[in-house]
Amino acid sequence: MLFRSALPEAFRVLLDGPEDRRIVEARELEGVDESTARERLERSNAIRQTYWKRLYNRDWKDQAMFDMYLDTTVIPAEAAADVIAAAATAFWDAKG
């Protein structure tokens, strides 16, 4: 698989969540209205989809492409970072 062979040592994490909660989160973090947050989310998703389709011929939300998936709309950023760090360390330790 081209995706895995490009950086075989990489620990790949998909940070995502339901769109409605991502919009609420964006509004709070960026101080924008719902329309702006939704537009930015749709644009970001379209860019990701185009990138993944062109480079890997895969859907960017295909969880099989990742070592970990986190719904960051329900896990605070600091806790998510701790979980990712612990999982990545275990991943690399297992690789020897």
Side-chain angles (χ1 to χ4, degrees):
M1 167 189 315
L2 173 64
F3 178 71
R4 183 55 68 185
S5 65
L7 290 169
E9 72 282 358
F11 181 71
R12 293 162 180 83
V13 180
L14 175 60
L15 304 177
D16 197 19
E19 288 191 4
D20 59 331
R21 293 199 311 241
R22 290 174 62 203
I23 289 168
V24 169
E25 200 169 65
R27 291 183 67 194
E28 292 171 359
L29 290 171
E30 299 173 25
V32 297
D33 63 22
E34 182 175 348
S35 175
T36 301
R38 184 174 303 283
E39 180 182 306
R40 288 178 181 177
L41 176 66
E42 289 170 358
R43 189 173 348 127
S44 176
N45 287 349
I47 290 167
R48 284 189 184 101
Q49 182 61 26
T50 299
Y51 171 86
W52 279 89
K53 198 66 167 169
R54 286 184 182 168
L55 265 66
Y56 308 112
N57 197 30
R58 300 294 287 264
D59 185 320
W60 76 274
K61 286 194 171 195
D62 179 355
Q63 292 180 19
M65 301 292 289
F66 298 91
D67 301 302
M68 174 182 271
Y69 167 90
L70 282 178
D71 179 347
T72 52
T73 66
V74 295
I75 300 172
E78 188 171 318
D82 291 342
V83 168
I84 292 166
T89 298
F91 174 83
W92 290 315
D93 286 351
K95 289 196 166 279

